[in-house]
Amino acid sequence: MVAIRALQRDDRPSISRILHDTGNFTAVEIAVALELVDIYLNQPEQRDYLLYCALDPQDDVIGYVCFGPTPMTEGTWDLYWIAVAPRHQGSGVGRALTEFVEQYVTSRHGRQLFIETSSQAKYEPTRQFYLRRNYVEIARLPDFYSVGDDRVIYRKLLR
């Protein structure tokens, strides 16, 4: 069983390590992800970004998720970042984190959750993960991130 709790200041180095170790994220993407971690930790009054981490039985951080309500919408939320330590991928950590987000959003009357990712081949396992979790690809924006790298957008209706 994976324990999930709100991100704490001491978790930042673990999140940085996970982002680097996955090998999926560029230096710029890691910088943006850590910027959101810092906003969450240093601006407790903000409500745009919520961050939670998954813990192993020794209370080590093995994954995290960043999500929040979509501005200017009613009941729409975005899952911005999800990352799991490579040695824990495929063990249910990502599923536990997404289920946590879905329950959290539903408990706050959220009606839909959006996730976006890259069309690069290295993200194929990520895209398949979303499909297995009953997210539906609703849009593909050609050459969004760079030439040949589409933005793929998934949606899940929450009941």
Side-chain angles (χ1 to χ4, degrees):
M1 186 96 192
V2 175
I4 298 175
R5 65 155 167 75
L7 189 77
Q8 298 172 359
R9 188 162 302 283
D10 292 344
D11 299 329
R12 190 185 191 283
S14 297
I15 300 304
S16 179
R17 187 170 37 261
I18 289 168
L19 290 165
H20 283 93
D21 289 351
T22 65
N24 276 354
F25 304 116
T26 66
V28 171
E29 291 168 332
I30 292 170
V32 169
L34 292 175
E35 180 181 333
L36 298 182
V37 168
D38 292 338
I39 288 170
Y40 175 80
L41 293 173
N42 298 322
Q43 299 176 27
E45 72 285 352
Q46 68 83 32
R47 298 288 177 251
D48 295 328
Y49 306 107
L50 303 167
L51 282 85
Y52 286 80
C53 57
L55 307 173
D56 68 9
Q58 293 74 40
D59 288 332
D60 292 325
V61 176
I62 57 174
Y64 94 107
V65 65
C66 173
F67 64 102
T70 308
M72 298 181 289
T73 69
E74 293 179 11
T76 299
W77 290 63
D78 285 295
L79 192 156
Y80 297 111
W81 291 92
I82 185 168
V84 175
R87 64 187 170 100
H88 293 281
Q89 291 176 3
S91 67
V93 176
R95 178 176 35 98
L97 286 166
T98 54
E99 287 175 357
F100 172 83
V101 171
E102 291 164 10
Q103 291 169 1
Y104 186 101
V105 170
T106 300
S107 74
R108 282 146 183 88
H109 309 290
R111 59 187 173 84
Q112 59 185 343
L113 184 60
F114 286 86
I115 303 173
E116 68 178 61
T117 192
S118 165
S119 68
Q120 292 180 45
K122 68 181 178 179
Y123 285 98
E124 180 62 23
T126 301
R127 293 190 300 274
Q128 290 303 313
F129 171 79
Y130 297 143
L131 293 172
R132 285 192 308 276
R133 301 292 318 134
N134 297 313
Y135 286 81
V136 176
E137 181 180 326
I138 60 162
R140 196 174 272 252
L141 307 177
D143 302 324
F144 183 83
Y145 296 107
S146 63
V147 174
D149 187 5
D150 305 343
R151 179 185 195 184
V152 185
I153 302 171
Y154 294 90
R155 173 187 181 211
K156 185 172 188 177
L157 292 175
L158 304 172
R159 305 274 181 230

